């Protein structure tokens, strides 16, 4: 029997569309708008895009389905879900331990994500201050300092807690529904503007003409897989908990495919913005290469692009404002989904209310963020790597194995039938069950082991 309390007491998305907004909001984040384009630029342009598309649909989508199905079937947070599915007590103990690792990973990701989102917020503030003519505030906000980093990360964390403590429908769904359409419109406007500027076509060429000699390079495949998993928010229990709030009648395979498609499409569109913008910046005299490679990472977002905005006068300030607003919105709909993982776990396994759980989890995570700000050099890279390169792929394997082996085939079929009574005749049902049992875990493991060499 499914574990956990009744849907009424734990919240539910109001419709399939509400879920799609929330899940794509989680998926579309800094990973898409910043990570994907720079990864593509440093890995052979369209060759990376090609490999990414294959991996997103062949590996990440089946893993996403594993999380959604476990979530909707068990109707509970990841610790209780994995801790109740196996038939043996050893299996259940292992499941609860793995679920706890996922809660810690999600919290750790939010720990560094809030800092990066704080940088984004500070640049949003700086561009607004510049437009208002407040030069002193603008330069304080655009120059890194411990006070600025702590302050902006705190504001971002408070926003995240405020949305999550509002609940599934009134918090997560309502804000995702508002933010996601605005994000898409802003992205389109920015792409349109940047593509009309001199220099943009060189960036387009780099992005869209594949360097096929690089397509099968192990490093490229590895980066593409990591990118696909991070981008679809996999391996930390986010999609599992969102799946647990899905109405029973929603068709899972098509809804999951829609989320994957939107995520990939927005990453692709972000490439149409970022790479041309870099070459427009070059035309304006901004340095976009370092040691012979395109500048990626934080320097791209917080130095190259602001230099471009500054060189473009008042149009540039507006452009900067729109760009950092876009990044803030993308980051917020992702961070709420990260905080939902520990919040749901606390609310469902302790006497705390949802509000209390969100504040407690948010406070503990902010302490981690503050530690990362204070001891940046030793901590930042380590937390990012441990969470995204080790824990996420390993948990991805565990979740596929649980969906494939710990849920009986008839139960899986019954779960999928609720949304599509003909599901037995679909390709999905013919391919996915054996695929998630054997192929998916083995492929993720192969790529993971390869990355350790
Ligand atoms: N998918 C988000 C992004 O692309 C990051 C994320 C990871 C969100 C894990 C939730 C959980 O930025």
């Amino acid at each position: 029997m499914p574990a956990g309390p009744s849907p009424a007491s734990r919240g539910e998305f109001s419709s399939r569309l509400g879920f799609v907004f929330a899940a794509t909001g989680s998926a579309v984040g800094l990973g898409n708008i910043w990570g994907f384009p720079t990864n593509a630029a440093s890995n052979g342009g369209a060759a990376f895009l090609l490999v990414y598309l294959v991996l997103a649909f062949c590996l990440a989508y089946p893993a996403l389905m594993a999380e959604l199905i476990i979530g909707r079937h068990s109707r509970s947070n990841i610790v209780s879900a994995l801790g109740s599915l196996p038939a043996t007590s050893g299996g259940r103990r292992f499941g609860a331990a793995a679920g706890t690792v996922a809660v810690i990973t999600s919290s750790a990701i939010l720990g560094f994500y809030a800092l990066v989102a704080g940088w984004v917020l500070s640049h949003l503030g700086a561009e607004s201050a510049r437009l208002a003519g407040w030069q002193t505030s603008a330069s304080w906000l655009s120059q890194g300092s411990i006070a600025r980093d702590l302050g902006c990360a705190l504001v971002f964390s408070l926003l995240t807690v405020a949305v999550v403590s509002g609940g599934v429908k009134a918090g997560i769904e309502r804000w995702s529904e508002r933010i996601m359409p605005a994000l898409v419109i802003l992205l389109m406007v920015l792409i349109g503007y940047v593509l009309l500027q001199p220099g943009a076509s060189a960036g387009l060429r780099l992005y869209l003409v594949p360097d096929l000699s690089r397509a099968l390079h192990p490093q490229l495949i590895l980066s593409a897989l990591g990118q696909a998993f991070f981008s679809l928010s996999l391996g930390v229990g986010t999609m599992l908990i969102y799946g647990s709030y899905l109405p029973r009648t929603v068709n899972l395979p098509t809804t999951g495919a829609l989320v994957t498609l939107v995520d990939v499409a927005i990453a692709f569109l972000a490439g149409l913005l970022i790479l041309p913008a870099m070459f427009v910046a070059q035309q304006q005299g901004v340095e976009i290469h370092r040691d012979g490679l395109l500048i990626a990472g934080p320097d791209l977002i917080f130095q190259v692009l602001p230099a471009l905005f500054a060189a473009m006068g008042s149009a540039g300030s507006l452009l900067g404002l729109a760009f950092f607003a876009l990044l803030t919105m993308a980051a917020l709909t992702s961070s709420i989904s990260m905080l939902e993982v520990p919040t749901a776990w606390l609310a469902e396994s302790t006497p705390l209310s949802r509000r209390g759980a969100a504040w407690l989890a948010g406070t503990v995570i902010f302490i981690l963020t503050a530690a990362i700000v204070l001891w940046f050099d030793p901590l930042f890279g380590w937390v990012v790597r441990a969470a995204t390169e080790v824990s996420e792929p390993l948990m991805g394997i565990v979740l596929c194995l649980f969906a494939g082996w710990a849920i009986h085939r008839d139960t899986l079929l019954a779960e999928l039938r609720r949304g599509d009574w003909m599901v037995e005749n679909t390709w999905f049902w013919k391919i996915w069950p054996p695929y998630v049992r054997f192929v998916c875990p083995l492929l993720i493991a192969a790529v993971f082991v390869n990355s350790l060499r």
Side-chain angles (χ1 to χ4, degrees):
M1 265 313 282
S6 73
S9 67
R10 61 189 301 274
E12 193 172 70
F13 291 116
S14 56
S15 63
R16 169 177 141 124
L17 196 64
F19 167 81
V20 169
F21 275 123
T24 53
S26 166
V28 173
L30 300 176
N32 298 59
I33 295 177
W34 165 359
F36 178 79
T38 51
N39 246 326
S42 35
N43 285 296
F48 182 84
L49 180 64
L50 227 62
V51 174
Y52 181 77
L53 282 177
V54 172
L55 290 180
F57 282 98
C58 297
L59 270 182
Y61 168 65
L64 169 67
M65 289 309 301
E67 284 203 34
L68 292 181
I69 291 181
I70 297 177
R72 197 177 67 175
H73 171 67
S74 57
R75 301 245 130 199
S76 64
N77 66 83
I78 188 162
V79 181
S80 321
L82 300 189
S84 63
L85 285 175
T88 64
S89 67
R92 285 194 292 272
R93 263 202 305 278
F94 173 77
T100 311
V101 171
V103 172
I104 295 173
T105 308
S106 188
S107 309
I109 293 182
L110 181 52
F112 72 77
Y113 209 82
L115 169 59
V116 178
W119 294 336
V120 171
L121 206 57
S122 67
H123 279 81
L124 177 64
E127 298 294 344
S128 325
R130 205 161 287 135
L131 271 178
W134 302 333
Q135 287 308 332
T136 331
S137 318
S139 64
W140 186 79
L141 281 166
S142 54
Q143 272 154 29
S145 68
I146 289 193
R148 181 206 73 169
D149 288 359
L150 278 179
C152 292
L154 179 63
V155 172
F156 184 81
S157 303
L158 287 173
L159 282 176
T160 306
V161 173
V163 174
V164 171
S165 61
V168 178
K169 240 183 239 146
I172 297 174
E173 181 176 330
R174 184 157 66 131
W175 282 98
S176 304
E177 241 167 32
R178 288 179 180 170
I179 292 177
M180 289 310 284
L183 179 143
V184 173
I185 294 171
L186 214 51
L187 184 60
M188 296 297 194
V189 171
L190 281 168
I191 293 173
Y193 186 83
V194 165
L195 286 185
L196 291 175
Q197 304 303 309
S201 57
L204 269 189
R205 220 169 305 125
L206 174 77
Y207 184 41
L208 296 178
V209 179
D211 174 0
L212 284 178
S213 64
R214 313 255 310 254
L216 293 177
H217 196 282
Q219 187 53 43
L220 180 145
I221 298 183
L222 194 65
S223 310
L225 184 72
Q227 177 64 36
F229 263 68
F230 185 75
S231 185
L232 270 174
S233 313
L234 296 178
V236 298
T238 307
M239 289 301 181
L240 189 151
I241 194 72
Y242 276 14
S244 79
Y245 302 136
L246 254 172
R248 287 268 187 221
T249 48
V250 166
N251 181 333
L252 284 175
T254 56
T255 308
L258 185 61
V259 171
T260 311
L261 210 63
V262 173
D263 183 53
V264 170
I266 295 201
F268 173 73
L269 286 175
L272 292 181
L273 169 68
I274 302 286
L275 294 173
M278 288 187 85
F279 285 83
V280 173
Q282 191 178 37
Q283 284 268 319
Q284 303 272 354
V286 179
E287 189 48 68
I288 64 166
H289 291 94
R290 187 171 302 145
D291 306 327
L293 293 174
L294 272 184
I295 295 179
D299 288 354
L300 163 63
I301 302 292
F302 301 119
Q303 283 174 15
V304 175
L305 297 181
L308 165 67
F309 304 141
M312 293 174 93
S314 50
S317 288
L318 273 181
L319 201 66
L321 195 68
F323 177 71
F324 286 113
L326 173 79
L327 279 180
T328 307
M329 293 192 285
L332 186 63
T333 49
S334 294
S335 65
I336 56 181
S337 74
M338 296 170 200
L339 184 62
E340 181 60 20
V341 176
T343 300
W345 171 63
L346 284 172
E348 288 173 8
S349 55
T350 70
L352 283 174
S353 65
R354 159 172 276 276
R355 183 174 290 273
W359 279 98
L360 176 63
T363 308
V364 171
I365 293 170
F366 183 72
I367 293 173
L368 173 64
T369 306
I372 298 178
V373 172
L374 295 175
W375 293 282
F376 185 82
D377 283 334
L379 276 185
F380 185 78
W382 188 84
V383 177
V384 172
R385 270 194 303 278
T388 63
E389 291 173 17
V390 182
S391 190
E392 272 198 273
L394 290 183
M395 278 306 302
I397 297 176
V398 170
L399 285 159
C400 286
L401 292 175
F402 267 76
W405 296 92
I407 307 181
H408 194 276
R409 208 180 143 85
D410 295 343
T411 317
L412 276 181
L413 186 59
E415 188 58 52
L416 290 167
R417 269 217 189 106
R418 294 174 199 271
D420 174 11
W421 61 278
M422 301 276 280
V423 75
E424 236 171 320
N425 303 327
T426 60
W427 276 97
F428 182 82
W429 181 250
K430 294 195 177 98
I431 296 175
W432 184 79
Y435 196 83
V436 82
R437 282 184 150 197
F438 304 103
V439 184
C440 230
L442 279 175
L443 284 177
I444 303 173
V447 179
F448 176 70
V449 169
N450 204 24
S451 73
L452 297 178
R453 288 193 294 153

